[in-house]
């Protein structure tokens, strides 16, 4: 039974209360709303707590997170401001976005296990039966793990692709993440990529390194990236690398000759290296949706 102190919403203003409840509903099934005095608190069942307070035409978000394995070190205060709108649905959408992008990733800074707690949320919400193991310095998340360069298996439309995640944290506040999602269509790779990087209008560099029949499609789909040829033999692999080096799209092209005709099969993989928890959370949220 929850402490009555956290269930009394009488001092929370009605607009804030409604925003808090609708925010929790959008965040996922494992979130609930509590209160302390005039503040609403959205709480995840694994212990994440984010406070919502009324401001002038805004919602103030506050959380206190651990960034050190030293339990004597004070918690760090994380804050964000959300501009409210006349339309409550817009205020809720902005609050959810701020929680996911500006608040939640900080809960994964303490060590690899803390990173695992945060990065498991979108997978848990989507009911993906991934397996996790490891300790404070390194943890793994695996779902039907397959090699990044494995020849593409045949997947049904909408079938969940494999996933591999490695979370490392050699010291305080040093959590970094590697994410591998193979066997995607180019369209799905682009959808996940859009969650990680802003829309760019700059042309792709090194486009001449790509197979001629896919240059236009890849160049339009992944602008601002640099194309590098990796290997030519069955299948052919080319990498599209983001300017910061964190995101790589590996494009594969297999050619099979049947009855004197060439039949092509193409697929892509999304690969994050040395990513922040925030970047990995965005990728996993897109993967799970």
């Amino acid at each position: 039974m929850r402490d009555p102190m956290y269930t009394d919403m009488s001092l929370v203003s009605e607009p804030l209360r409604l925003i808090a409840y609708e925010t929790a509903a959008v965040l996922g099934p494992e979130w609930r709303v509590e209160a302390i005095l005039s503040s609403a608190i959205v709480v995840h069942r694994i212990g994440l707590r984010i406070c919502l307070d009324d401001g002038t035409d805004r919602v103030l978000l506050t959380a206190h997170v651990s960034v050190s394995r030293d339990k004597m070190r004070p918690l760090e205060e994380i804050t964000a401001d959300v501009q409210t709108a006349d339309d409550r649905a817009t205020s809720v959408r902005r609050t959810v976005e701020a929680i996911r992008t500006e608040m939640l990733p900080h809960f994964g800074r303490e060590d690899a296990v803390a990173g695992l707690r945060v990065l498991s949320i979108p997978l848990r919400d989507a009911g993906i039966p991934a397996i996790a193991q490891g300790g404070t310095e390194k943890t793994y998340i695996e779902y039907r793990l397959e090699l990044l360069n494995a020849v593409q298996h045949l997947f049904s439309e909408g079938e969940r692709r494999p996933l591999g995640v490695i979370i490392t944290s050699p010291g305080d506040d040093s959590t970094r993440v590697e994410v591998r999602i193979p066997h995607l269509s180019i369209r799905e790779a682009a959808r996940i990529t859009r969650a990680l990087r802003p829309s760019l209008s700059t042309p792709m560099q090194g486009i001449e390194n790509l197979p001629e029949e896919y240059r236009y499609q890849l160049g339009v789909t992944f602008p601002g990236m640099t194309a590098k040829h990796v290997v030519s033999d069955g299948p052919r692999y080319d990498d599209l690398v983001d300017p910061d080096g964190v995101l790589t799209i590996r494009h594969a092209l297999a050619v099979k000759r049947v009855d004197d005709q060439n039949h092509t099969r193409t697929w892509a993989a999304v690969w994050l290296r040395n990513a922040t928890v925030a970047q990995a959370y965005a990728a996993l949220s897109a993967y799970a949706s």
Side-chain angles (χ1 to χ4, degrees):
M1 181 179 294
R2 284 190 284 165
D3 189 328
M5 181 178 71
Y6 295 111
T7 59
D8 182 4
M9 306 289 292
S10 61
L11 297 180
V12 180
S13 68
E14 182 177 8
L16 182 63
R17 176 172 55 82
L18 292 173
I19 289 174
Y21 274 110
E22 293 180 22
T23 294
V26 175
L27 285 172
E30 296 187 312
W31 291 86
R32 67 177 188 272
V33 177
E34 296 182 350
I36 183 166
L37 300 177
S38 62
S39 300
I41 308 171
V42 289
V43 183
H44 194 275
R45 64 179 298 176
I46 63 176
L48 312 183
R49 302 172 66 85
I50 299 170
C51 185
L52 285 69
D53 286 293
D54 262 331
T56 304
D57 299 325
R58 58 183 179 159
V59 174
L60 310 177
L61 304 178
T62 308
H64 293 86
V65 304
S66 173
V67 296
S68 171
R69 298 170 199 177
D70 179 2
K71 302 306 179 185
M72 300 300 293
R73 181 173 169 178
L75 300 180
E76 184 170 312
E77 183 177 87
I78 307 299
T79 62
D81 289 356
V82 179
Q83 190 72 33
T84 56
D86 294 336
D87 175 23
R88 189 169 68 246
T90 300
S91 298
V92 170
R93 177 179 54 80
R94 291 173 179 172
T95 303
V96 169
E97 182 67 17
I99 288 174
R100 286 175 171 166
T101 61
E102 300 180 51
M103 306 298 289
L104 280 182
H106 291 284
F107 287 94
R109 291 167 52 189
E110 180 181 348
D111 55 30
V113 172
L116 170 63
R117 285 196 293 267
V118 171
L119 296 179
S120 68
I121 291 175
L123 306 181
R124 291 162 62 106
D125 288 347
I128 299 173
I131 297 172
Q133 58 181 332
T136 56
E137 293 190 4
K138 180 178 287 189
T139 62
Y140 303 85
I141 303 174
E142 298 176 357
Y143 173 68
R144 298 171 57 184
L145 186 63
E146 295 186 34
L147 296 175
L148 189 70
N149 294 337
V151 176
Q152 184 193 33
H153 294 175
L154 297 179
F155 288 89
S156 303
E157 183 67 25
E159 184 178 356
R160 186 80 62 188
R161 296 328 193 235
L163 170 70
V165 181
I166 303 174
I167 309 165
T168 58
S169 181
D172 287 354
D173 203 5
S174 61
T175 306
R176 288 295 181 269
V177 188
E178 178 177 325
V179 178
R180 295 187 176 204
I181 310 172
H183 304 322
L184 297 163
S185 66
I186 294 176
R187 178 178 57 82
E188 279 297 292
R191 186 179 66 84
I192 293 173
T193 298
R194 284 194 295 270
L196 291 163
R197 61 199 295 265
S199 178
L200 299 177
S201 58
T202 53
M204 178 182 289
Q205 302 296 311
I207 196 169
E208 66 278 2
N209 295 320
L210 298 175
E212 187 173 354
E213 61 269 41
Y214 285 97
R215 287 177 187 172
Y216 177 78
Q217 181 184 9
L218 295 173
V220 170
T221 306
F222 303 103
M225 302 187 81
T226 299
K228 300 178 180 180
H229 178 57
V230 179
V231 66
S232 298
D233 297 331
R236 171 184 174 136
Y237 292 109
D238 298 282
D239 282 352
L240 312 177
V241 183
D242 209 39
D244 63 9
V246 171
L247 171 66
T248 296
I249 306 297
R250 175 152 291 182
H251 177 256
L253 173 64
V255 180
K256 185 177 181 180
R257 193 165 183 82
V258 179
D259 298 331
D260 295 326
Q261 291 185 344
N262 288 337
H263 296 263
T264 62
R265 193 153 50 96
T266 182
W267 63 96
V270 173
W271 187 6
L272 273 67
R273 289 177 286 189
N274 199 36
T276 64
V277 175
Q279 291 170 319
Y281 186 90
L284 294 181
S285 295
Y287 167 81
S289 63

